[in-house]
Amino acid sequence: MMKKSIYAVFDIGKTNKKLILFDEDRQIIDENQHICTDSIDDDGFVCDHLPRLTQWVQDHWQQLRHHPHYTVKGVNFTAYGASFVHLDAEGQPMLPLYNYLKPMPEEVMQRFYSMLGQAPEDFAAETCSPQLGMLNSGMQLYWLKHTKPELFARIHTSLHLPQYLSYLISGEKFSDYTSVGCHTNLWDFERGQYHDWVRREGIEEKLAPLTKDSIASVVDGIMVGVGLHDSSAAVMPYLAETDEPFVLVSTGTWSVTINPFNSQPLTPELLKRDSLSFLTPGGQPMRAARVFLGREHDYQVDRIAKHFHVKPDFYRSLVLARPYDEASASFQPACMAGTGPFPDRPAAEWDITGFRTASDAYQHLMHGLINLLLESIHLVWQGEKIIYVDGGFARNPLFMQTLSWNFPGAEIRTLEVPQATALGALVHLEQGEAWKKTQLLFT
């Protein structure tokens, strides 16, 4: 029996770890999920269990290599950001996979900014990195150097998590622009290189060489990807879908608007309004902005349902949006203080007692949410004629209708992409240099 040619993607999220198999037409043919139990780091803070994650990846890779029905053509990796795996001189992990929610000691932050010699807001603009503690993954290396110097001295190479997964199979150590460019404090976006402090503190020598190629190595005829940050991976299927400029509004608990075609530098004001820049796999900046839309929606829906004594999913039966009226201007968000396009606006209690029905209140809620989202979109939008929407709100007809009314000159599209992050990693793999050179082997 002839074996089926497939591609594999390890998609490692904070909660869910998945191995997804695609056929040659990019259709999902199998999915394996792993619930990885937590561990405790050397300070007693909860973290991912790196040895078990490593074993799970290696075991499944060996099973795929010897699968009776599949021939693996390529494998790639995508994982959450702000995560480093620290390798010793023998190439073995020597420290826990520290959690990006781990608190950063205040004295470390004070020492860092006094060493910098520039205002924190200017540094944040240069590195497109709001002050986020350990979520700025470069700070993890600084913290190790100044609080655990003996361990820091033993680190030979620090790999971001996607590149560590690639290293497990390829044996090659690389850094990737998408991981380096996701609010790490490491990259100087204005100069297109590591920030001066990275060299000054001896951090750069711990980092693997940066590559723009998507393929780390070809192992026994199988292309092994370098891996990429999950947020950047999620944009790749849309880039593959059209040659025209677009923005992507990715909706969920946070709604993140990403414009791969906007490479304008950030300002301290834009950073304050929850606008960020990431790096593409080729090292080019792309701007994004976020707003706590899904969380606000669910909070207000719960209030409406309780006030009008209806089921929590009452709004799912609504299919036609009402035109905007002045009553919608009274909407006040309760969950967005300190975030989004209006970070200085305090949390407030939106008065829903004046509405006659739950449906009436929800129509006004949708206009109020869209008004906030529009402010966020306009931080990155440059007049692009295509706006993609994915995630939960893409299946909300009121949301889609109301959004389209606000962009009469643009086409609002949805591209139902199951496992968009994993598919993006596959699309990225297909763009590698080794792929182009070995294409004839596969025909």
Side-chain angles (χ1 to χ4, degrees):
M1 182 176 133
M2 194 168 173
K3 288 188 175 184
K4 185 179 183 69
S5 296
I6 64 155
Y7 301 97
V9 174
F10 287 92
D11 181 2
I12 307 303
K14 200 81 174 69
T15 305
N16 297 315
K17 280 78 172 153
K18 295 175 286 192
L19 168 61
I20 298 171
L21 305 183
F22 294 88
D23 65 16
E24 293 185 287
D25 296 319
R26 297 180 181 169
Q27 299 301 305
I28 295 172
I29 58 171
D30 199 6
E31 184 177 327
N32 184 290
Q33 190 155 321
H34 172 60
I35 304 299
C36 192
T37 53
D38 288 334
S39 183
I40 299 295
D41 69 20
D42 46 352
D43 298 314
F45 197 84
V46 68
C47 65
D48 255 332
H49 199 301
L50 184 60
R52 284 186 191 151
L53 175 60
T54 299
Q55 194 65 50
W56 179 75
V57 170
Q58 291 174 327
D59 288 350
H60 277 77
W61 178 243
Q62 289 307 315
Q63 290 170 21
L64 276 179
R65 290 284 303 277
H66 302 103
H67 200 284
H69 306 305
Y70 297 146
T71 297
V72 184
K73 284 188 175 183
V75 58
N76 207 358
F77 316 85
T78 177
Y80 60 88
S83 53
F84 268 122
V85 178
H86 307 286
L87 307 177
D88 61 19
E90 283 72 49
Q92 296 300 310
M94 53 163 283
L95 286 169
L97 182 57
Y98 291 112
N99 191 332
Y100 60 61
L101 298 176
K102 183 184 177 79
M104 177 67 70
E106 185 59 37
E107 60 271 19
V108 173
M109 296 301 296
Q110 290 175 356
R111 178 173 184 165
F112 179 79
Y113 283 104
S114 63
M115 168 275 296
L116 265 183
Q118 67 180 133
E121 56 270 21
D122 292 335
F123 175 71
E126 283 179 3
T127 59
C128 297
S129 305
Q131 289 188 50
L132 300 169
M134 202 72 88
L135 199 56
N136 305 126
S137 59
M139 297 306 296
Q140 183 184 135
L141 286 160
Y142 183 84
W143 164 74
L144 283 169
K145 177 179 179 181
H146 292 283
T147 64
K148 304 175 189 279
E150 303 85 0
L151 291 172
F152 179 82
R154 286 181 50 216
I155 295 173
H156 185 272
T157 311
S158 294
L159 298 175
H160 277 101
L161 184 55
Q163 286 67 58
Y164 168 71
L165 301 171
S166 172
Y167 162 73
L168 287 176
I169 293 174
S170 71
E172 301 289 343
K173 300 173 188 172
F174 287 108
S175 292
D176 143 78
Y177 283 98
T178 68
S179 292
V180 167
C182 68
H183 51 72
T184 61
N185 272 4
L186 293 169
W187 195 254
D188 187 328
F189 278 71
E190 293 178 15
R191 297 163 65 196
Q193 62 187 39
Y194 284 118
H195 198 277
D196 286 345
W197 82 265
V198 182
R199 294 189 180 89
R200 197 162 57 233
E201 290 286 321
I203 301 292
E204 187 175 11
E205 62 196 48
K206 306 284 187 183
L207 303 174
L210 272 163
T211 180
K212 292 183 179 179
D213 195 358
S214 62
I215 296 175
S217 181
V218 179
V219 179
D220 296 336
I222 302 171
M223 287 170 293
V224 183
V226 170
L228 69 168
H229 179 231
D230 53 11
S231 294
S232 300
V235 182
M236 301 299 289
Y238 298 90
L239 288 166
E241 182 70 15
T242 179
D243 294 327
E244 298 178 61
F246 64 87
V247 296
L248 169 63
V249 182
S250 184
T251 68
T253 302
W254 288 93
S255 284
V256 183
T257 303
I258 303 171
N259 188 342
F261 305 92
N262 184 341
S263 58
Q264 297 298 312
L266 282 185
T267 63
E269 176 63 22
L270 284 167
L271 270 168
K272 186 181 176 185
R273 300 185 71 192
D274 245 344
S275 188
L276 283 171
S277 283
F278 298 108
L279 290 177
T280 67
Q284 295 301 309
M286 63 177 175
R287 191 184 288 181
R290 65 179 194 160
V291 61
F292 214 11
L293 210 71
R295 175 70 184 93
E296 186 71 41
H297 173 272
D298 292 351
Y299 173 80
Q300 299 294 357
V301 163
D302 182 62
R303 288 184 66 222
I304 293 169
K306 287 175 179 173
H307 180 77
F308 290 99
H309 307 290
V310 295
K311 292 181 178 178
D313 64 349
F314 73 92
Y315 65 93
R316 296 187 187 278
S317 62
L318 305 176
V319 294
L320 286 176
R322 288 189 208 152
Y324 182 86
D325 67 46
E326 287 308 310
S328 300
S330 67
F331 176 73
Q332 296 287 326
C335 307
M336 297 186 183
T339 70
F342 301 111
D344 296 328
R345 182 182 291 178
E349 189 82 337
W350 176 43
D351 183 8
I352 58 175
T353 59
F355 298 112
R356 291 173 290 110
T357 64
S359 170
D360 191 28
Y362 188 79
Q363 293 278 357
H364 286 89
L365 169 64
M366 192 51 60
H367 282 291
L369 291 176
I370 290 285
N371 285 344
L372 291 165
L373 177 63
L374 289 174
E375 292 290 338
S376 190
I377 291 175
H378 280 98
L379 295 176
V380 304
W381 187 59
Q382 299 181 127
E384 287 79 8
K385 300 298 185 186
I386 299 172
I387 298 174
Y388 283 111
V389 181
D390 75 8
F393 280 112
R395 296 181 287 279
N396 184 317
L398 270 65
F399 177 91
M400 296 297 287
Q401 290 166 42
T402 310
L403 184 66
S404 66
W405 291 340
N406 287 279
F407 291 96
E411 183 182 353
I412 310 295
R413 296 182 187 175
T414 59
L415 186 65
E416 282 300 321
V417 181
Q419 306 294 359
T421 303
L423 178 58
L426 172 58
V427 169
H428 185 46
L429 184 74
E430 293 174 347
Q431 297 172 353
E433 289 303 313
W435 184 289
K436 298 167 192 169
K437 291 172 186 171
T438 58
Q439 195 66 37
L440 287 175
L441 296 175
F442 306 138
T443 56

